[in-house]
Amino acid sequence: MATSLRILLITGEQSFNEIQQIANKVNGEKDLNIHCEIRMVSVDVSAFITPEHVTELCIPFTEENYDFALIPGFTTWDSSILKDKIQIPVYKGTRFSGDLYDLLCHIRELKLPTKKAADHLLQTRSRQKIQEYVENLGETFFTQGQPISGSRVLQFVTPNGRRILTGGDFPPLLFAEIVDAPKLSESEIMEKVHYYMDSGANVIDIGMIFGQSHPDLIRKIVPKIKNTCDILVSIDSVRIDEIVAGIESDVDIILSIDGENIDSFLEYSENHQIKRDLGIVLIPLDGPNHTAIENPTAKAEFLISLAKNLRNHGFNNIFYDSLLKNPISPGLMDSLHCYYIHNEIVQQQPEIYYPTFMGLHNVFELVDADSSGMISLLSLIASELNCAGIFTTEFSPKTLGSIRETRKSIDFAYFAKISKSPPTSLGLDAFFVKSKRRSLSRTEEPSIILNLHTNEISQENLKELISPDDKFIHDTTGYFKIYINHLTRLIEVIFIPFDETKKRLNLTGPLLLKGRSAEHLYKTIHQLGLVTEISHAFYLGKELSKAEYALHVNAPYFEDTELE
């Protein structure tokens, strides 16, 4: 057991009860071997705690009493200035009490800050642990070869020569599909490529159109992506002419080979030089109509037979895709059962124990509910099923941001897996809307209450000032239109100036302002003198904040309309 830590937690009046609960929880967990005590400073809000408060509180203590003290992360001063005034070190904790428990659970592993809040430390530590773990796995693989247990490790190389490993205990690759690529222009495809890369994709998948043939597009777009971006590229088609076009364009992974096209693929491979590290995703479809095989055992045996055939021809970078299905009809649980049965069978045959592949979009695209929670749960399930490839897309408006959500969820699930821990209090999370933090409760006692919700206003002089028919006053400078761009993740504000403003700012037409935050935009608008009416300023602040939130949660934004 680790040596005991004695920590003094310093807080204000408003947060005291919640910090006390956290301290009691930590003190009650014997494995942590941490004892926390709390001292309250006579300030309402913790951010108002000063160096003088802490000095006065801590002067009686030495390191025999406490190993160190933690002050709230919202304090704005450097706590190292106290080192010559008191005998115990003082560090910064988290800004929000909801994050303090996680910090205390891992506090021995962290170098605590004195200048900035410790919020970032948990996430940084978690990501460093993942990086170190993967680097150690890589060193072991390159010196010892394929692991004795677990699925085979697959190797890929990016255009710039980066080696990427997946399968075994390595993290899964995130495949992001550009749906119906032939319907898009070259510039639209490249815009999506960059957006998907910024969202965390490892592989850009070029989605073709079933029943149509567009090999020329593949020959054109795959080299362009690989010449301009350091990323793996896959081609999503069962047509042999499109698969051949992908191979000849140096694509990295083929989605998909099945019972119908495997003979044509192998015939082509025997007569042409194909890199044997080509990635291949196998799917349980057979016959000229690519009919699905439904029985779990028959499906597993069919996929294994395809893998053996490919292996005999020198191909080893193989994924098994049992095909995830949407809930209710045809049924999510049945398809998950197929993955489970497949893993049970293939684990008994080490020579063809290749990792699995799962398309999450088959679920969340066909469910009218928020995608982020579904993606997190599916990513955890995929992790338990040892998936090495996780496939997703952003096809419909309701799934905007789902690639970013999947990236965050994959990292979260993978860290839980290598930590051998439940997916909570790890420093990484998959929250996009909700949080473990609690809102602050009001502690101030008002002298009078104006309940605008029920229109209860007891004081007559105030009631007379509040008009239910308060009219909006148009500004004399011009007017605004507000949009959000999910691809660039920017708020776009068009300002239409009136003549006087045009002259003052030397404008010939509308002015476009782009920014990521409402604050940055409204400060610039104020500095340019684009708003003079206070009612207009309030309105603009409301709409910019709404736009920023919509961008954050990947929701649609319409001016003068409540968020959906």
Side-chain angles (χ1 to χ4, degrees), residues 8 58 61-64 66-69 82 86-90:
L8 176 63
C58 293
F61 305 130
T62 69
E63 291 193 54
E64 291 184 2
Y66 302 105
D67 292 282
F68 56 85
L82 301 179
I86 57 177
Q87 299 179 67
I88 59 172
V90 178

Side-chain angles (χ1 to χ4, degrees), residues 367-386:
V367 176
D368 285 345
D370 294 328
S371 59
S372 58
M374 287 186 283
I375 287 172
S376 296
L377 182 57
L378 289 169
S379 296
L380 290 164
I381 292 170
S383 183
E384 288 196 18
L385 291 170
N386 301 312

Side-chain angles (χ1 to χ4, degrees), residues 34 72 83 127 186 241 269 277 362 454 475 513 546:
I34 294 175
K83 64 182 180 181
R127 296 202 178 281
E186 188 176 313
D241 60 337
S269 72
D277 63 349
N362 292 343
T454 58
D475 218 311
L513 298 92
K546 198 171 75 178

Side-chain angles (χ1 to χ4, degrees), residues 125-170:
R125 161 200 161 272
S126 300
R127 296 202 178 281
Q128 285 174 343
K129 278 198 159 187
I130 291 175
Q131 184 177 347
E132 291 168 4
Y133 184 84
V134 172
E135 285 175 355
N136 290 335
L137 281 179
E139 290 175 10
T140 302
F141 174 77
F142 288 121
T143 55
Q144 300 179 17
Q146 290 289 344
I148 297 172
S149 61
S151 71
R152 291 184 63 85
V153 174
L154 311 185
Q155 300 185 63
F156 300 95
V157 181
T158 69
N160 288 353
R162 283 189 301 119
R163 286 192 177 188
I164 295 180
L165 304 176
T166 191
D169 289 328
F170 288 91

Side-chain angles (χ1 to χ4, degrees), residues 295-418:
N295 179 272
T297 303
K299 181 183 290 190
E301 290 173 347
F302 178 79
L303 288 171
I304 289 169
S305 70
L306 295 179
K308 286 180 177 177
N309 201 352
L310 288 170
R311 180 181 172 85
N312 290 338
H313 286 79
F315 295 100
N316 268 307
N317 265 1
I318 297 170
F319 299 85
Y320 294 114
D321 185 357
S322 293
L323 297 181
L324 195 66
K325 296 180 180 178
N326 57 286
I328 308 301
S329 178
L332 173 61
M333 290 306 298
D334 284 346
S335 62
L336 287 173
H337 178 63
C338 288
Y339 274 94
Y340 179 81
I341 294 297
H342 173 88
N343 273 6
E344 289 289 298
I345 293 172
V346 79
Q347 285 172 15
Q348 308 306 315
Q349 305 178 59
E351 73 282 359
I352 45 86
Y353 185 11
Y354 298 106
T356 52
F357 182 96
M358 182 179 285
L360 307 190
H361 68 298
N362 292 343
V363 175
F364 65 79
E365 276 281 7
L366 294 168
V367 176
D368 285 345
D370 294 328
S371 59
S372 58
M374 287 186 283
I375 287 172
S376 296
L377 182 57
L378 289 169
S379 296
L380 290 164
I381 292 170
S383 183
E384 288 196 18
L385 291 170
N386 301 312
C387 286
I390 294 181
F391 183 94
T392 190
T393 188
E394 295 185 15
F395 182 59
S396 64
K398 68 183 178 184
T399 60
L400 275 172
S402 60
I403 294 166
R404 195 177 300 271
E405 292 167 358
T406 307
R407 173 77 276 155
K408 195 173 182 181
S409 295
I410 287 174
D411 295 345
F412 165 63
Y414 181 70
F415 189 51
K417 184 178 182 180
I418 65 176

Side-chain angles (χ1 to χ4, degrees), residues 52 64 85 196 241 257 287 291 337 349 355 362 408 434 438 440-441 445-447 462 468 470 487 492-493 522 550:
E52 291 73 27
E64 291 184 2
K85 300 179 180 179
Y196 287 176
D241 60 337
I257 296 296
T291 305
H337 178 63
Q349 305 178 59
N362 292 343
K408 195 173 182 181
K434 295 191 176 182
R438 292 180 182 174
L440 293 177
S441 298
E445 285 297 326
S447 62
L462 296 180
D470 190 30
L487 284 179
E492 298 181 348
V493 179
Y522 72 62

